[in-house]
């Protein structure tokens, strides 16, 4: 079974570890996400040392793409996509994990 770590679970864990008010933790996390989104909107690279980097890459448009739900052919305009590149420390941390929800069977 897939184990998800939700924002609520993170807030609860930080509350238990640090003893900080849940509402304050929630506000800090929300503001962090807003800062990241605002930085990406301004086409800035967000570098979190030891964790990874967020950035926007531009995908070129196409005249012929297929809507997977309906099968209709549609045009797709040029658009931005959010990219995350894990940092070296995060890569090293997860390197030895050998099982997970997306494991090939």
């Amino acid at each position: 079974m897939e184990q998800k770590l939700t924002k609520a679970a993170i807030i609860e864990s930080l509350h238990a570890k640090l003893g900080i008010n849940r509402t304050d933790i929630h506000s800090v996390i929300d503001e962090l996400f807003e800062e990241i989104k605002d930085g990406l909107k301004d086409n800035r690279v967000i570098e979190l040392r030891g964790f990874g980097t967020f950035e926007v890459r531009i995908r070129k448009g196409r005249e012929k793409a297929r809507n997977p739900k309906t099968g209709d052919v549609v045009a797709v305009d040029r658009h931005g996509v959010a990219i995350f590149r894990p940092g070296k420390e995060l890569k090293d941390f997860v390197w030895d994990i050998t099982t997970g929800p997306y494991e090939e069977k």
Side-chain angles (χ1 to χ4, degrees):
M1 176 188 278
E2 182 180 346
Q3 296 288 329
K4 289 186 181 180
L5 181 62
T6 63
K7 183 166 70 168
I10 292 170
I11 290 169
E12 194 58 41
S13 176
L14 290 173
H15 171 68
K17 288 177 185 175
L18 304 174
I20 300 173
N21 182 312
R22 287 178 187 90
T23 306
D24 293 340
I25 296 169
H26 194 283
S27 296
V28 169
I29 289 173
D30 284 346
E31 284 302 315
L32 173 65
F33 291 159
E34 284 302 314
E35 286 293 319
I36 291 171
K37 289 191 295 188
D38 289 346
L40 291 174
K41 182 179 174 189
D42 294 339
N43 206 21
R44 298 178 68 192
V45 175
I46 316 306
E47 182 180 301
L48 303 174
R49 299 260 167 131
F51 185 71
T53 304
F54 295 91
E55 62 184 299
V56 173
R57 292 204 183 141
I58 304 301
R59 288 249 172 103
K60 62 183 179 180
R62 299 188 321 192
E63 288 188 27
K64 288 187 178 181
R66 194 164 299 279
N67 181 330
K69 274 190 177 179
T70 64
D72 295 341
V73 174
V74 295
V76 177
D77 293 334
R78 177 181 162 114
H79 62 281
V81 292
I83 301 294
F84 173 74
R85 290 182 289 126
K88 182 181 180 335
E89 289 179 36
L90 182 58
K91 285 182 188 178
D92 291 345
F93 186 77
V94 299
W95 181 259
D96 292 326
I97 296 174
T98 57
T99 61
Y102 304 110
E103 181 180 352
E104 290 184 22
K105 296 188 180 192

